Amino acid sequence: MRLYHRRVPELAEVEIVRRGLEAMAGARIERVEVLDPLLGDLAVSEIEGRRVEGAIRHGKLFGLELDSGKVLAFHLRLTGSLLRERSPRARLRLELAPGGPLSLVDPRRFATVRLEDRAGFGSGSGPDLLDEGLTADLLAVRGGRSKRAVKAVILDQQVLAGVGNYMADEALWDASLSPMRPATSLSQADWRLLLSSARSVAAQALARGGASFSDYRRVDGSLGEMQEAFNCYGHAGEPCRRCGSTLAKTVVSGRGTTYCPSCQI
DNA sequence: AGGTGGACCCGAACGC
DNA sequence: TGCGTTCGGGTCCACC
């Protein structure tokens, strides 16, 4: 199996990686090679020899739980991917037994790796989108008091963890909500709809991404499964699949944003 | 508080 | 063809 993705990893892509890592529970980390100084100081001696107990995820952060009580936590940022192979381009390589090599490949070198306490894992961000304890009422309380654009609010990892640019655009499209709406203007019903839409996008991405995930695809290969399911992201200038109006592209809170000016209100 | 813009990177896409 | 330029994207940080 190849832990692989071609797009900026958001919640679903990270969850797929986590599932792949879960299979390594019970393996021992025999060796750690830090090949890129940009990764900073990693306490290699606290990792080598430890046994992997499981794999966890919170938002876009995921990690290997070690038997020492620590978590080897990864954030893939823009271009990071984990490959179950010994890649010559790796920034970091682990050798697991059993399991073999695991390489962090990351052309733009933004990904981060840290060793942290289990209790601290994910504590820097809000509830995960898929956390069962996250209700629409709670989301409304956490995000609904802000005058910021609702897209900026759902992208804010402190408010809600896991949503990235494509999920935000797709969820807002699905909920027929304008990305520019001040979060304060959303009703309870709007928040319920938005949370449900975001979860639906995540579920669909998991299903589609899971399908493309186990196969190797060329980087310049044709469309992946999830991309085919996008209703607005990447479709600026095309007709809206709901109302037929032309999808517009703009910038909201510094992020490229595609939406339907007619039916997202 | 929140927005804005720069920084971090480098592959890809684009322009000439 | 080949060179140069621009852009993007998650997050943080400095600055209004």
Side-chain angles (χ1 to χ4, degrees):
Chain A
M1 175 167 37
R2 185 159 174 143
L3 307 182
Y4 184 84
H5 63 83
R6 291 182 318 299
R7 73 175 58 257
V8 173
E10 301 187 18
L11 184 150
E13 290 75 16
V14 175
E15 172 61 17
I16 288 164
V17 173
R18 188 201 68 78
R19 290 177 186 178
L21 292 177
E22 213 167 26
M24 304 195 162
R28 187 176 297 280
I29 300 175
E30 304 268 288
R31 186 162 157 71
V32 177
E33 293 174 273
V34 179
L35 303 156
D36 182 349
L38 274 191
L39 281 179
D41 289 331
L42 200 55
V44 170
S45 62
E46 290 186 47
I47 304 169
E48 284 182 339
R50 308 300 350 179
R51 194 176 294 280
V52 174
E53 293 188 334
I56 52 176
R57 181 193 62 78
H58 185 99
K60 302 171 196 170
L61 194 68
F62 68 94
L64 292 170
E65 297 174 291
L66 307 183
D67 61 0
S68 57
K70 299 272 189 175
V71 176
L72 184 59
F74 296 78
H75 194 306
L76 298 176
R77 300 288 183 112
L78 304 184
T79 55
S81 54
L82 274 187
L83 310 179
R84 289 191 62 173
E85 63 184 36
R86 186 183 165 79
S87 169
R89 293 151 58 221
R91 300 180 64 199
L92 173 76
R93 271 200 294 257
L94 305 181
E95 185 66 34
L96 292 109
L102 195 57
S103 299
L104 172 66
V105 176
D106 178 29
R108 295 190 197 173
R109 303 168 76 196
F110 277 114
T112 55
V113 186
R114 288 187 325 198
L115 190 62
E116 51 190 51
D117 293 330
R118 249 182 240 207
F121 180 81
S123 62
S125 53
D128 187 85
L129 174 66
L130 300 185
D131 183 337
E132 288 178 7
L134 175 62
T135 62
D137 285 350
L138 180 58
L139 183 58
V141 167
R142 295 184 65 84
R145 292 174 179 158
S146 170
K147 292 177 186 163
R148 301 155 77 195
V150 59
K151 175 165 174 177
V153 169
I154 60 172
L155 280 174
D156 185 340
Q157 304 296 299
Q158 316 262 23
V159 171
L160 171 66
V163 174
N165 208 32
Y166 90 67
M167 286 191 59
D169 279 6
E170 290 296 319
L172 287 161
W173 184 91
D174 192 70
S176 298
L177 287 168
S178 165
M180 293 84 114
R181 275 266 295 270
T184 45
S185 76
L186 270 67
S187 65
Q188 288 298 116
D190 289 333
W191 285 111
R192 273 197 294 279
L193 183 57
L194 184 53
L195 180 59
S196 155
S197 292
R199 285 176 166 162
S200 159
V201 171
Q204 193 169 14
L206 273 172
R208 303 253 179 178
S212 62
F213 160 69
S214 57
D215 306 311
Y216 171 73
R217 308 254 171 140
R218 299 189 313 277
V219 172
D220 63 349
S222 51
L223 302 181
E225 302 237 346
M226 187 52 201
Q227 188 160 344
E228 288 170 16
F230 286 154
N231 286 305
C232 67
Y233 187 87
H235 291 289
E238 297 174 24
C240 172
R241 293 181 186 181
R242 184 166 45 221
C243 78
S245 301
T246 303
L247 296 176
K249 178 138 190 195
T250 184
V251 175
V252 176
S253 189
R255 320 295 295 285
T257 298
T258 303
Y259 71 109
C260 177
S262 288
C263 65
Q264 285 180 252
I265 53 179

